[in-house]
Amino acid sequence: MKILHGFLSVLIATTLLLSGLRCSNARNHFHKPKNSHKDSGRHIYQPPLPSPAEPPSAGGRDADNATSDPCIFNVRSYGAIGDGDTDDTKAFRDAWKASCSQENSVLLVPSDGVFTITSTIFNGPCQPGFVFQIDGVLMPPDGPDCWPESDSKNQWLVFYRVDGMTLRGGGTIEGNGEKWWDLPCKPHRGPNGTTSPGPCNSPAMIRFFMSSNLTMKELSIENSPQFHVKFDGCDGVHIEDISINSPALSPNTDGIHIENTKSVAIYNSMISNGDDCISIGPGCSDVDIQNVTCEHSHGISIGSLGVHGSQACVSNINVRNAVIRNSDNGLRIKTWQGGMGSVFGISFNTVYLENVRNCIIIDQYYCMTKDCMNQTSAVHVSDVSYSNIKGTYDVRSPPIHFACSDSVPCTNITMSEVELLPHEGELVDDPFCWNAYGIQETLTIPPISCLQDGIPQSIRESYNNIGC
């Protein structure tokens, strides 16, 4: 019997030892991220519901909610130095390969380092419950002169075919964008304020491509060479409590851009940048934006759509409890002439605008140059609602501007409780409408009398030809 007890003791000890080695790369204890960049007082509005929708899931579990400790794959365990100068790309790729294949794992970028990596595509799919945790600083090479010739100049971090991934952390993703912004091919950066010709590729900072059930939260992202975050061909995106920050004059630095993507939630975030705060491209539907603050940007934009005669379909976009300050545009829909398709089911509800030049704008004559020709086809814009839109505007432009196609009018525009006053100077009381149809449920400030009643016969006859 003593021999049997001894054998069982050895067997139990061996089993415990092997189970402890299961995640041998987990050299750091896992801690919940410190959200050091939060500012609890930065939002004017709170969501009207008790809490927004929960992040999407694909059967996996966040490390915070797991019933067992997650496996931690610290990039330092794979050779990352984190001194801000050393190229740590190989260490990150190796750590990704190991952690992506392990269920309920965390790829950890620790808080005690500044890690530089070059343009990288992180391929999925990964095992359920995968978390990319950035607690330190992660950044690309410093400007175009340091960018490897063999690397793409169109993108930096790419996540391809991942499902159920979470990107989060209390750290910073730093874009080192200033030297890209100063290229002479950028707007007004050439000699004597001109723009020089020639290729002008600049990398988008973070791109999710053909991925699903994604969560991004609690991150600080700044100074991207071009778009900060881009979702292309994705389904199920939850973004919450992120901070995006770039200077007002940084060109083409859209905060969050989505295209060909559906089921998107963007909540409780602060975006200060030099282009569209949030841009919604073709192929997007079911987008919910709540409690977002945009600073010195080009506002929240749907478009541009229909470029080069293309078809664009956008539907069911909901923006509520938003703040837009010191921006060139507020709530904008922009399409090119010659396009096809439709934009419908758009709701802007409870938005505060402060010192915004074009507060409410639909522009179906969008053009990057001065030589765009008038065309007969256009993307049909319909079912757009503006409710409880209040604040102040820059008097250099009318606060409301509806410039719709000659041949494809905008229809079913609804205005309710719209009150816009001049930020400085005299009241501008001449909202602009061209071929725009809709109703005022309440009187607006300034008064808008240029909306036409009903739906024109030409639109009724063309509904079946929209193609969306």
Side-chain angles (χ1 to χ4, degrees):
M1 184 64 69
K2 291 182 179 179
I3 295 174
L4 180 59
H5 278 295
F7 175 76
L8 289 174
S9 299
V10 172
L11 180 61
I12 292 170
T14 302
T15 302
L16 290 173
L17 177 62
L18 290 175
S19 65
L21 292 175
R22 180 175 63 89
C23 300
S24 59
N25 291 294
R27 299 186 179 181
N28 293 63
H29 293 292
F30 181 76
H31 299 282
K32 292 185 180 180
K34 296 179 180 179
N35 197 11
S36 59
H37 65 273
K38 284 185 179 178
D39 179 0
S40 60
R42 70 187 181 201
H43 302 300
I44 290 181
Y45 296 99
Q46 295 297 322
L49 302 176
S51 63
E54 290 300 315
S57 63
R61 298 167 296 177
D62 274 2
D64 284 351
N65 300 321
T67 56
S68 60
D69 289 338
C71 297
I72 312 299
F73 294 80
N74 190 328
V75 294
R76 288 197 186 276
S77 300
Y78 294 85
I81 303 301
D83 60 3
D85 294 318
T86 304
D87 182 356
D88 289 323
T89 306
K90 184 179 184 304
F92 273 73
R93 290 175 178 171
D94 290 345
W96 172 274
K97 185 177 180 180
S99 58
C100 178
S101 62
Q102 173 69 54
E103 184 175 349
N104 189 34
S105 65
V106 177
L107 193 163
L108 177 64
V109 181
S111 60
D112 61 350
V114 178
F115 300 88
T116 300
I117 68 173
T118 59
S119 179
T120 302
I121 298 177
F122 293 108
N123 289 295
C126 295
Q127 291 297 313
F130 178 67
V131 176
F132 197 130
Q133 175 92 21
I134 300 175
D135 287 339
V137 177
L138 181 60
M139 65 184 187
D142 187 16
D145 291 341
C146 298
W147 206 263
E149 285 294 328
S150 59
D151 283 3
S152 169
K153 287 185 171 62
N154 293 316
Q155 54 197 20
W156 176 47
L157 295 183
V158 180
F159 299 96
Y160 176 60
R161 289 192 180 276
V162 295
D163 179 26
M165 171 183 162
T166 295
L167 177 64
R168 70 179 185 193
T172 299
I173 303 179
E174 166 60 52
N176 288 331
E178 184 173 357
K179 294 178 181 178
W180 296 94
W181 307 331
D182 290 340
L183 289 173
C185 59
K186 295 293 185 178
H188 312 297
R189 295 292 185 179
N192 301 318
T194 62
T195 298
S196 298
C200 199
N201 294 339
S202 299
M205 202 163 170
I206 304 168
R207 183 189 184 199
F208 285 91
F209 181 48
M210 295 184 67
S211 298
S212 58
N213 302 307
L214 305 167
T215 299
M216 176 182 288
K217 61 182 180 179
E218 301 166 347
L219 275 173
S220 178
I221 305 167
E222 59 188 33
N223 299 323
S224 177
Q226 202 209 44
F227 291 9
H228 286 78
V229 186
K230 185 175 183 180
F231 295 88
D232 187 0
C234 297
D235 185 356
V237 175
H238 186 101
I239 302 170
E240 185 159 10
D241 197 29
I242 68 168
S243 170
I244 293 176
N245 189 23
S246 289
L249 297 180
S250 55
N252 303 119
T253 54
D254 289 41
I256 299 171
H257 174 77
I258 61 174
E259 59 182 80
N260 300 311
T261 294
K262 59 184 180 179
S263 300
V264 179
I266 304 173
Y267 298 144
N268 308 322
S269 295
M270 178 78 176
I271 302 173
S272 303
N273 63 313
D275 209 301
D276 291 339
C277 172
I278 298 172
S279 54
I280 300 169
C284 292
S285 62
D286 302 322
V287 179
D288 188 34
I289 300 169
Q290 291 188 49
N291 201 27
V292 169
T293 298
C294 302
E295 186 81 31
H296 59 66
S297 66
H298 293 181
I300 297 174
S301 292
I302 298 173
S304 59
L305 307 174
V307 64
H308 303 312
S310 61
Q311 177 174 290
C313 302
V314 175
S315 63
N316 300 330
I317 312 298
N318 178 36
V319 178
R320 50 182 165 166
N321 298 338
V323 178
I324 302 175
R325 297 193 185 100
N326 304 314
S327 299
D328 285 350
N329 301 290
L331 308 171
R332 176 167 64 161
I333 300 173
K334 51 181 179 176
T335 72
W336 295 77
Q337 291 191 76
M340 299 175 291
S342 68
V343 176
F344 68 90
I346 314 300
S347 173
F348 301 107
N349 188 334
T350 311
V351 180
Y352 176 74
L353 305 167
E354 181 181 330
N355 191 28
V356 174
R357 183 162 184 180
N358 298 292
C359 292
I360 295 174
I361 179 170
I362 297 176
D363 181 9
Q364 293 214 273
Y365 298 88
Y366 183 75
C367 181
M368 298 291 287
T369 64
K370 296 181 179 180
D371 57 357
C372 294
M373 303 293 292
N374 283 340
Q375 300 187 48
T376 56
S377 64
V379 177
H380 179 212
V381 177
S382 65
D383 301 322
V384 184
S385 171
Y386 302 91
S387 177
N388 194 25
I389 312 298
K390 299 180 181 181
T392 61
Y393 62 91
D394 184 325
V395 297
R396 290 177 293 173
S397 301
I400 301 171
H401 185 97
F402 295 138
C404 301
S405 165
D406 289 341
S407 56
V408 186
C410 304
T411 57
N412 200 20
I413 297 172
T414 303
M415 311 288 287
S416 175
E417 297 184 71
V418 176
E419 299 177 6
L420 300 170
L421 300 172
H423 185 70
E424 293 179 348
E426 297 296 324
L427 178 72
V428 174
D429 59 357
D430 56 345
F432 176 82
C433 301
W434 181 260
N435 218 14
Y437 289 75
I439 61 171
Q440 296 180 75
E441 293 184 341
T442 65
L443 294 176
T444 65
I445 300 174
I448 177 170
S449 58
C450 54
L451 283 175
Q452 302 180 64
D453 294 331
I455 298 177
Q457 186 66 29
S458 60
I459 288 295
R460 292 175 185 168
E461 294 172 350
S462 64
Y463 267 132
N464 294 329
N465 299 319
I466 289 175
C468 290

